Amino acid sequence: MDTRRVQRGPARIAYAAWGHGPAVLLLASLGRGAEDFFEVAPLIAAQGFRVLAPDPRGIGDSEGPMTGLTLYDLAEDAAAVLEAEGTGPALVAGHAFGNWVARALSACRPELVRGVVLLAASITQNLDPAVRASIDGSFDPALSEAERLGHLQRGYFAPGHDARVWLTGWHPPVARMQRAATAATDQRWRRCADRHATLYVAAALDTIAPVPTEAALREALGDRVALTVIPDAGHALLPEQPAATAAAVVAFAGRADAARHGRAEGPAIPRIGA
């Protein structure tokens, strides 16, 4: 792993990089950084890809204005990484909240995207209040470790998985910035599958983003979307099933290239997993 930085106006974006080949850009969840991909990224890179994982503003060495932003500003931060690397269009994968940044990048910089992967992604912003409470409680410093662990287990992790791996790595000011940026953004970013071939990677036991129907995917994202379901995983997904997550991204890379060049075959939404 190599660590690099790129300047974009008043913002400086630090990112981790692995491997060589076509670019795969990985965007982290709400209030979390590139370290979430430290198991997944090397597995993807080993299959012949240049894997890039930026830290959002406010995490690590990434910094910049934290107010007055939209999702497009966060997407342009990610675009700066791709432009600095000069790798050509990337397969862009966003985990949880990162899926919204990935979709915004598809909208505002389509020339930098060759396909989109949504990992345990909420395709709407409508959450059950109890689920929202577990999300907020997971990184609330006023709560005890036991209380936070309970929220993490209920909201993010499948039964039998150790939620303690996510007791650290949370950045509440970043989460607040990301939520405000989302609220300030128009709606044109949503339907990424109208612009790029898209893979939705569902976690079978996800309580925050339950496995969607194919009809719901089409309605929310567009017609060019495929679905795969990873068993024995919750919304956290990455620490629970890193090998399966990496395999899903790698398998889709070739399909995205084929779709981009008009060679896609088969039904609009094949179910890749079970």
Side-chain angles (χ1 to χ4, degrees):
M1 186 184 79
D2 187 19
T3 55
R4 300 185 173 193
R5 298 167 184 80
V6 61
Q7 195 76 29
R8 187 178 84 81
R12 181 182 68 197
I13 305 302
Y15 62 97
W18 298 258
H20 304 277
V24 175
L25 179 71
L26 303 177
L27 303 171
S29 182
L30 184 76
R32 299 188 64 84
E35 66 179 301
D36 279 358
F37 294 105
F38 282 7
E39 286 186 83
V40 173
L43 299 175
I44 299 173
Q47 300 302 311
F49 294 92
R50 177 66 167 167
V51 182
L52 309 166
D55 275 327
R57 302 179 186 201
I59 297 180
D61 286 337
S62 290
E63 60 182 17
M66 299 284 281
T67 59
L69 304 173
T70 70
L71 285 177
Y72 302 126
D73 293 302
L74 306 185
E76 290 287 358
D77 289 348
V81 171
L82 295 177
E83 291 176 327
E85 288 285 316
T87 55
L91 188 69
V92 181
H95 174 229
F97 170 83
N99 104 86
W100 295 353
V101 182
R103 289 154 72 184
L105 183 61
S106 166
C108 70
R109 298 298 299 275
E111 75 281 4
L112 294 179
V113 179
R114 74 174 191 272
V116 178
V117 180
L118 310 180
L119 304 168
S122 297
I123 57 175
T124 73
Q125 293 171 265
N126 300 317
L127 286 178
D128 181 281
V131 172
R132 173 73 72 179
S134 282
I135 294 173
D136 292 344
S138 296
F139 56 85
D140 185 348
L143 299 182
S144 69
E145 181 175 297
E147 289 174 306
R148 291 183 56 230
L149 189 60
H151 284 301
L152 280 167
Q153 192 68 64
R154 283 190 297 274
Y156 287 92
F157 285 80
H161 291 267
D162 187 358
R164 282 178 291 220
V165 299
W166 264 24
L167 277 171
T168 59
W170 294 95
H171 300 265
V174 175
R176 290 193 291 271
M177 174 272 287
Q178 291 169 328
R179 283 176 168 170
T182 303
T185 308
D186 62 30
Q187 302 299 304
R188 67 188 174 94
W189 58 274
R190 291 185 173 277
R191 292 180 60 86
C192 58
D194 286 341
R195 296 179 293 269
H196 298 98
T198 299
L199 174 67
Y200 186 98
V201 180
L205 302 176
D206 195 333
T207 60
I208 292 175
V211 179
T213 66
E214 295 178 355
L217 283 178
R218 287 194 189 98
E219 181 179 357
L221 303 174
D223 286 337
R224 290 192 299 162
V225 59
L227 171 66
T228 187
V229 182
I230 295 180
D232 192 27
H235 197 62
L237 183 59
L238 306 179
E240 295 177 293
Q241 298 291 349
T245 301
V249 173
V250 169
F252 185 66
R255 296 173 58 86
D257 284 340
R260 184 167 170 257
H261 292 97
R263 301 192 304 273
E265 298 179 357
I269 307 184
R271 181 175 287 271
I272 300 173

